[in-house]
Amino acid sequence: MPERVLDKDFAWGFATASYQIEGAPTADGRGPSIWDTFCKIPGKIADGSSGDVACDSYNRTAEDITLLKLTGAKAYRFSVSWTRIIPLGGREDPVNQTGIDYYKKLVDDLLAEEIIPFVTLFHWDFPDALDKRYGGLLNKTEFVADYAHYARTLFSAMPKVKNWITFNEPWCSSILGYNTGLFAPGHTSDRSKSAVGDSSRECWIVGHNCLIAHGAAVKIYREEFKATDGGQIGITLNGDSTYPWDTEDPLDVEAAERKLEFSISWFADPIYLGKYPDSMAKQLGDRLPTFTPEDLALVKGSNDFYGMNTYTANYIKHKTTEPEADDFLGNLETLFTNSKGDCIGPETQSFWLRPNAQGFKNLLNWISKRYNYPTIYVTENGTSIKGENDMAKEEILDDEFRAEYFRTHIAALAGAVSDGCKIKGYLAWSLMDNFEWAEGYETRFGVTYVDYEGGQVRYPKKSAKTVGPQFEAFMKTE
Ligand code: GBH
């Protein structure tokens, strides 16, 4: 019998994101986002697809809630499509009441089933009109003001929401959007991929601007809504656990720490400690923006909770050469095998993902120690399965590999709670198979199989019924 270390009200459930599930890109006045535009560029999405239909969740919201009920979920994390709320995106642009009503009803319907909504304001689908109008996330003044206005519009429309997430993984918006160019809007220095971009500078500016926009939204929530609505607000950061490639080599030990700083502390240090990590300042010099006193006042202390997304772990080997201008890892290599030849975990469909539950537990402890034991919600965690898309339906539904991932990771989470980490929730990625960004529909992350050819019909997999019982086993009974 596992130790019952999780509180009775532990918020476990599932997560999704607007562009990955909704479809209906022009319904009821929605405006285009940078992902609608990006998907139209040949070669950007592996299977040439887009989120045009996806899981058709905009028209099947009731089916999604039925799925949640079937799993017994206590919480659901979804994101709002900015351009359903404000089709052109800006603070002087018209607000679309039909878009607001869609999400209000979703919140009401969830609450009617006693499922707690966790609402992400921004999961990468930035308004295309603003990207074209003023350079989008690169333009601090305009972007921060427009994001703040969008945030205020949502806070005021949905007082029943008590859990707000400002940004999902600003690392991805910055690095994948403005350094490697793999994600919208696709900026990169590589001129074979994009006519615009400076990988050595733009990503650091975008990350900086996201932090300030986050801080601006939190200030608005705290000053204008928190007292009456009583909710909490935080940012979700991605980052995966690290081990030194050679534990005997101090330079690998240092690099393993530096990798965490370049992914997690880039955002979490300014929020919790009021400055960028020294390792980043040292490597990036004047390419790392500096905070004005006003901006720092917005950012420092701006998390009510830490939203944690994590999937895998890496062995880290330091590099002996000078960092490249476009390096964003911290001058190191990420590997799945260490100096002794140990492998970190089994292959999945995602080249970057190999399950390692011990790493999950280690990372929960690392974040807790560095930031003085903040309240943590794990806002994403999950896995794809090698070859899943090519399997027969019966085989897909019997996803033991994913079920085992959740069993081991939930046990690891309980272990971290025993260690002293303050973890209050866990949202598995994902409620259903969906549009996996640049990988299209070939990679599936759902606990529900979505039959894309057969009219978006949903079939729960084995893992859909694994998460709940595993949490129940670790939860206090009173
Ligand atoms: C999450 O990001 C996203 O929030 C979610 O929307 C997505 O569906 C889910 O993961 C599964 O992928 O630069 O090409 O080598 C997870 C964090 C960070 C994972 C970047 C992939 C390397 C991709 N991601 N990482 S690449």
Side-chain angles (χ1 to χ4, degrees), residues 11 18 163 199 235 237 248 307 368 405:
S18 48
N163 302 283
S199 301
I235 196 168
L237 305 176
E248 305 293 304
S368 297
Y405 182 98

Side-chain angles (χ1 to χ4, degrees), residues 272-294:
Y272 289 98
L273 310 176
K275 63 194 266 299
Y276 283 124
D278 292 340
S279 59
M280 294 185 72
K282 185 170 169 228
Q283 180 175 320
L284 302 172
D286 69 358
R287 291 184 284 128
L288 190 65
T290 47
F291 289 104
T292 65
E294 297 76 41

Side-chain angles (χ1 to χ4, degrees), residues 87-107:
L88 294 171
R91 58 200 183 279
E92 320 257 291
D93 296 320
V95 173
N96 178 25
Q97 189 58 43
T98 322
I100 293 181
D101 291 343
Y102 169 74
Y103 293 106
K104 274 177 85 164
K105 179 166 166 23
L106 173 53
V107 167

